[in-house]
Each structure stands twice: as C-alpha cells, then as structure tokens.
Amino acid sequence: MRECKKCRVEVLDDTSVCPLCSSVLEITGEHPCHTGYPDVKAVSRKLNFVVRLYSFLAIITEAALVIINYLFYHGMWWSAISGIGILYCYITLKYSLQRNHGYQKVILVQVIGAVLLVIAADHIVGYQGWSVNYVLPGAVMLLEATIAILMVVNASNWQSYMLMQILTVMVSGACMIFWKFGVITNPVLTFTALAVSLCMFLGTLIFGERRAKTELKRRFHV
C-alpha cells in the first residue's frame, strides 16, 4: 500500500504518484491510517474487458451472418447492414464509454455515426434517397432539440453549446448544397432544418448578448 504524505490519503492501486497532487508516494504498512483513495484503474480494466469481449462476440456473430447470407443469398447482402450496426456499437463502446470524452463530443459522434449507418443501409438495400431526404435533416433537428435541452439544464454555462449550434447551421447549409446538386430530392425537411438551426443560433446571439459574443471570440480567437 502506498501513501501520499501531502494529501494524507492511501492509494490502493499500483501507481507511483498521487492522483491528486502528483507527488511521489511512499510505501506504508497494510493497516490504513488515513482516508483511502480507490483503485483508479479498476473501472478502466473492466471497460477494456467489456470491449474485448464485445469484439470477440461481434467478429464471431458477423462471420456467422455473412456465411448465412452467402448460403441463402436472395439478391441482397443484408449481412453488411448488420456489420455496420455492430461496428457502430463498437465505436460507441470504444469512444463513448472507454475513453473519457466530454458529453458534447459523445453526442456528436453518436449522431454522425447513426446518420452514416442509415445512409450506408440505404445504399445496401437499393438507394432510394430516404436517408438524405429525411434522416439527415431529421438528425439536424434532433440535435437542435438536444442542444436546447442542454442549454436549459445547464443554464449557467449555456454559451458553451454555441459551437454545436454553428455545426448544425453548417450541416444544414451542406444539405442545401446537396439539394442544389440533386442529391436531396425532397427539400421540405432540409428547409425546415435550416430554418430551425438559423433561428436558434440567431436567438442565442441576440438574447445572449455579451456572453454569446465573448464565447465566439474565445472559440475563434477574434
């Protein structure tokens, strides 16, 4: 057992420095005399095991599905959709749970991954365009609703979500470009998503006043 003389805590894992103050730990006896610091690596080890177990089961499952799809092939490789779904779940475990990222990045990764998954599924089953006509702008509006909820819940730091708002405006603008080039054929949701994202961003700028402008200057160094 190791002890930090500065913080007066005992560290239960095998690290050589204090997780609180980075001071070198001293080896002590087995009987604790101060408040114990938990094993900081225990959760990481458990998550690593979960990810490895999922990877093993996912590879076996997808291999079995590919074989079944090959043996009973009827014009569509549906096993590719299951493979993409399994990969999406792996990214969720690896990025969102195993790594300690901020929840804003986690939300963005989840939404982007889900949209790409649906677009890929649309192409695999025979491209009909529903993924870009409905799912993509729908994801933008869902993200806007999520941002609005987060701004209400975290009212003291609402300006930190302005970067996500700018991202939704840019994605909505990209959808308009897709419509101009004929990729999106039904622009109703696209126009709606653009209007919602612009209204939210402009509303934040107008009602946020100084805090909103300060956040933009901090983010873009202007």
Side-chain angles (χ1 to χ4, degrees):
M1 189 174 294
R2 301 174 186 272
E3 179 184 1
C4 177
K5 295 295 185 181
K6 182 178 179 180
C7 299
R8 297 183 62 80
V9 297
E10 289 182 345
V11 180
L12 304 181
D13 60 17
D14 57 355
T15 185
S16 60
V17 295
C18 176
L20 300 177
C21 66
S22 299
S23 299
V24 178
L25 299 176
E26 297 183 11
I27 299 177
T28 62
E30 294 297 328
H31 301 286
C33 56
H34 307 297
T35 303
Y37 191 88
D39 187 350
V40 294
K41 296 182 180 179
V43 176
S44 179
R45 287 195 293 266
K46 290 180 181 178
L47 289 176
N48 285 334
F49 174 76
V50 170
V51 172
R52 289 195 298 268
L53 178 62
Y54 176 83
S55 301
F56 172 74
L57 296 176
I59 292 173
I60 293 178
T61 302
E62 181 59 20
L65 292 176
V66 170
I67 293 174
I68 294 173
N69 194 178
Y70 176 77
L71 294 176
F72 301 96
Y73 180 73
H74 294 292
M76 184 178 70
W77 286 101
W78 51 263
S79 58
I81 300 177
S82 64
I84 297 173
I86 290 172
L87 178 61
Y88 177 72
C89 293
Y90 173 80
I91 293 174
T92 300
L93 286 173
K94 191 73 175 178
Y95 186 89
S96 303
L97 299 181
Q98 192 177 30
R99 298 181 181 180
N100 188 24
H101 292 284
Y103 62 91
Q104 293 190 43
K105 291 183 179 180
V106 171
I107 291 173
L108 290 175
V109 169
Q110 294 297 100
V111 172
I112 293 172
V115 170
L116 293 178
L117 170 62
V118 172
I119 292 176
D122 189 8
H123 281 79
I124 291 171
V125 299
Y127 183 73
Q128 299 294 324
W130 51 267
S131 58
V132 292
N133 283 320
Y134 307 109
V135 176
L136 182 56
V140 173
M141 289 188 287
L142 176 62
L143 189 56
E144 286 288 353
T146 303
I147 294 171
I149 294 173
L150 291 174
M151 291 177 72
V152 172
V153 173
N154 190 17
S156 61
N157 194 31
W158 58 263
Q159 70 276 5
S160 63
Y161 304 103
M162 292 191 66
L163 196 60
M164 294 180 67
Q165 288 185 332
I166 294 174
L167 178 62
T168 58
V169 172
M170 293 174 62
V171 174
S172 300
C175 290
M176 294 298 298
I177 295 175
F178 292 156
W179 172 61
K180 285 293 184 178
F181 283 92
V183 177
I184 292 178
T185 56
N186 189 344
V188 176
L189 282 181
T190 298
F191 281 109
T192 304
L194 180 62
V196 170
S197 59
L198 285 175
C199 286
M200 280 199 64
F201 181 66
L202 290 176
T204 302
L205 282 178
I206 294 172
F207 292 102
E209 296 181 342
R210 182 179 299 177
R211 291 177 65 181
K213 295 177 182 178
T214 302
E215 178 67 14
L216 290 178
K217 290 179 180 178
R218 186 180 71 86
R219 291 287 186 178
F220 298 102
H221 306 287
V222 295

